[in-house]
Amino acid sequence: MTMHSRAQEIETVGQVQQHGVIRCVVVLEDRDAVRERLEDLLKDAYWVPIPEKDWRQCRVWAERLVRYFILDIVLFEELSAGFHALEEIKSIAPDAFCAIVTEDISRVHRVAQNLGADHICGKSDAELRDLLRRLDNVSVVLTERERALLAFNEVGQRSLAISSLLENDETVLAEHQLITLEPPLAAAFALTGLGDDFAMLIDALRFALVNQPGRQLSTKQWRLWLEVLDRAFTVHPMDCSTATDLADRLERAGWITEPPDFGLLASFLLDDGIGEKSD
Amino acid sequence: MASGRRVTEAFLDTTVFVEITLREHQRRQAALERLARYTATILPTYAIKEFRAGPLDTYVWFHNLLLQERSLAAAVARSAAEAAFRPNRLRTAVELHAHLLKEKFPQGESPGQSARRMRLYLRKLVYKSWDMRETVAARRTARLGCFPEECPMANLDGQIVLRPIGCVRRANCSLVDELRSAPEQIGLLLAVVESGPDKRENRSRAKALRYLQNFQDSQRFGDRSCRGLGDAVFALTAPANACILTTNLKDHAPLAEALGKRAERL
C-alpha cells in the first residue's frame, strides 16, 4: 500500500476525531523500511504524504497538516527535513505529539529534545510498539478551530444526504430539507481559521445567500455546491489542481465572478512586468 | 484544415502565457482563440520560469497586500507609492484610483468585501495559471532540474507562499549546455543586443550573453545570469521551423531574425 493511497483515507474531520489525533510521528532516515514495519504494527494508521521535493517548505506543510488536523504519521527521509518539520509543527501546535525514530539516538537526542520532541526511540519492534502505545494514549482536546471544523463537517454530511435525494429526483428538494442546513451553515459562516481554500467556498455561498437577498439557489446550483463540499472533504488538503477545479466550478455557477475593476488592476500589475510589454 | 489555421508551430513566450492566464476574461478568451490558429504549440519551461518570477509573483504579492490592507484603494495606493519611479505603472495607478473613487459598490457590499472578492479572484488566477502551464500548449519543453516548480500554497493567515521564486539557490543552470552548444549564435545575438537601444534590459542581456560566450565548465551559470538572458533564450531554443509567438515583437523579432528564425505577434 502506498503512502498516497493511505492518505486518501482521511476524508472527514469526524473520522480523524474518532481516531483521536492530533499527533505526529516524524521518522528520520530509512523511510520505506520503517514505514513497512509501522504499517504492520498499526494497521489503521493514516499516512500523510509529503512530496520529497517539498521538504524545503516545511512550514507551509506543517501549517496545512495542523490546519486540517490530520497529523498522524509524517515520515521524512532526510534528517534536516525531519528537524525542520518538527520545529515548525511544534511552533504551530505545541501540543502535537512528535516522536523521532532513528537508529542513532545518541547522535540526534539533544537536537531533537531541544526542538521539542516528545519521544525519541530506535527502530526495534519493541520500541516501535512502545511508540504506538504512546500514540494511543495521546488525548484529543477540541480546540475552537476543531469545533468549527466539525460544524463544517456537519454541513457536509447533511449536504451529502440532500445530494442523494437530488440524485433520485431533482424536484424533491423542499424547503424543510434546506432548513436542516441552516444551523451548521451559521456555524460554518462564523469560521475564521480554516484558511482561504475553505473560506473561498464559504464566501461564495455567503455571497449567494446573504448578499443577494431574495435570490434562491436553483436546484442545479445546490447540486453543484454539494458536489463542491463532497469534493472538498475527500481531497483535502487541497493541491493546486483541486483548488483550481473548485474555483472553476464556483465561477461557472456564477459564485465567483470577475470583479468589474479587474481589467484595470491587471494592467496596473502587469504593465511594469513582462505581460504588458507591447509594441 | 480549419479555416484561417496556420500550418505553423508556435513557440510561446512569457507574454503570451500571461495573456492567456492572468488577463481579464475577455482578453484571455481572445488570446486562446488566436492560439488555436496554430497547428501545434510549445510552451518552454523558461517561459514558466519568467512567468513565476515576474507576473505570478506580482499577483501573489498584491493578493497578500490586499489581505493586509483590506481595501483595494489602500492596496493600490501603497503599491503605487512603491512604484513611483516607474512612470507607466504610476499612470495606471492614478487611472485605477480615479475609477475606484467613482465606484459604486453593489448593495450591501462594503469596500472590505469588495477587496475580498478581488483577492479571491486573484487567488483563483494564481492557482489556475500555475496549473495551466501543463495544459495550455500541446506540449511543453522538458523540466529543468534547477527549477523545482513548487506549487503556490496558502499558509494559515491566508497568504499565498510562492517559494522558491526562481531556481534553487547555488544550483547550476540545467539549460546552459544547450544554450552554449552553438557559440556562433550567441555572437550573433550579442551583436543585435549591443546595437539595440541603451536600456537596462539590454545591458543585462548583453552581460549575460558575454558570460555565456566565455563560460567555462569550472564556472557556475546561476539564476541571475539565466534570467539576464531573457528573450535571447527563446531565440536560441525555439525549433527552426517554429515561430516565436509574443506580444512583444519589438524585442523578439531582431533576435529571432538574427538566427534565421521568425517571431510573430499574438
Side-chain angles (χ1 to χ4, degrees), chain B residues 22-115:
Chain B
L22 294 184
R23 293 291 183 180
E24 59 269 35
H25 178 75
Q26 219 171 358
R27 262 178 88 162
R28 294 202 307 268
Q29 286 305 113
L32 279 171
E33 281 166 22
R34 289 201 296 275
L35 205 63
R37 292 179 310 180
Y38 294 85
T39 47
T41 48
I42 308 168
L43 181 67
T45 300
Y46 189 81
I48 298 168
K49 177 182 151 87
E50 276 199 337
F51 172 79
R52 183 178 174 101
L56 188 67
D57 188 45
T58 304
Y59 269 47
V60 167
W61 165 75
F62 194 78
H63 168 279
N64 294 343
L65 194 60
L66 270 177
L67 194 65
Q68 283 173 27
E69 297 290 337
R70 298 182 190 285
S71 148
L72 187 54
V76 169
R78 200 171 133 191
S79 54
E82 289 175 23
F85 59 95
R86 297 162 176 167
N88 280 347
R89 196 169 199 181
L90 195 58
R91 202 160 40 234
T92 327
V94 170
E95 198 184 336
L96 181 55
H97 239 290
H99 183 78
L100 290 173
L101 286 175
K102 286 185 291 186
E103 185 181 36
K104 288 183 173 56
F105 294 106
Q107 197 179 7
E109 187 170 282
S110 68
Q113 284 171 319
S114 175

Side-chain angles (χ1 to χ4, degrees), chain B residues 93-262:
Chain B
V94 170
E95 198 184 336
L96 181 55
H97 239 290
H99 183 78
L100 290 173
L101 286 175
K102 286 185 291 186
E103 185 181 36
K104 288 183 173 56
F105 294 106
Q107 197 179 7
E109 187 170 282
S110 68
Q113 284 171 319
S114 175
R116 188 163 201 187
R117 204 141 57 95
M118 181 67 86
R119 189 169 62 74
L120 290 175
Y121 194 71
L122 284 174
R123 185 182 180 80
K124 180 209 129 132
L125 287 187
V126 166
Y127 280 138
K128 180 156 185 163
S129 63
W130 186 247
D131 211 38
M132 279 179 77
R133 77 195 189 286
E134 304 290 359
T135 57
V136 75
R139 67 184 172 93
R140 53 168 288 191
T141 57
R143 285 174 181 267
L144 302 173
C146 53
F147 179 52
E149 300 192 27
E150 304 284 3
C151 287
M153 288 206 246
N155 68 16
L156 271 182
D157 303 326
Q159 293 202 323
I160 302 176
V161 180
L162 192 66
R163 290 284 179 276
I165 294 292
C167 288
V168 177
R169 258 199 308 175
R170 291 188 291 279
N172 212 348
C173 179
S174 309
L175 209 54
V176 72
D177 289 337
E178 182 187 344
L179 293 175
R180 67 186 181 126
S181 61
E184 70 288 351
Q185 294 197 340
I186 299 171
L188 290 169
L189 292 180
L190 189 56
V192 170
V193 174
E194 284 178 337
S195 63
D198 181 27
K199 54 182 184 179
R200 193 180 56 175
E201 187 183 342
N202 275 346
R203 285 195 293 275
S204 59
R205 187 163 302 146
K207 189 177 168 187
L209 281 167
R210 274 192 291 273
Y211 186 53
L212 184 64
Q213 197 171 37
N214 301 314
F215 185 75
Q216 305 292 321
D217 286 338
S218 58
Q219 291 177 299
R220 194 173 66 82
F221 200 80
D223 190 51
R224 184 176 290 189
S225 304
C226 175
R227 283 167 68 175
L229 290 173
D231 298 344
V233 173
F234 294 90
L236 283 168
T237 57
N241 60 345
C243 74
I244 297 166
L245 197 60
T246 178
T247 67
N248 179 22
L249 199 59
K250 192 170 60 183
D251 284 348
H252 274 283
L255 296 169
E257 283 161 13
L259 305 187
K261 297 177 184 178
R262 280 181 309 119

Side-chain angles (χ1 to χ4, degrees), chain A residues 177-227:
Chain A
Q177 285 158 338
L178 293 182
I179 285 170
T180 63
L181 278 173
E182 279 180 10
L185 266 179
F189 280 171
L191 306 189
T192 53
L194 285 176
D196 263 16
D197 292 331
F198 281 109
M200 185 159 75
L201 305 180
I202 294 291
D203 260 18
L205 192 60
R206 194 203 307 265
F207 276 120
L209 294 179
V210 182
N211 281 0
Q212 298 180 51
R215 173 183 164 179
Q216 293 290 316
L217 290 184
S218 67
T219 305
K220 198 173 171 187
Q221 284 171 318
W222 268 107
R223 181 199 289 278
L224 185 73
W225 167 246
L226 304 177
E227 278 177 17

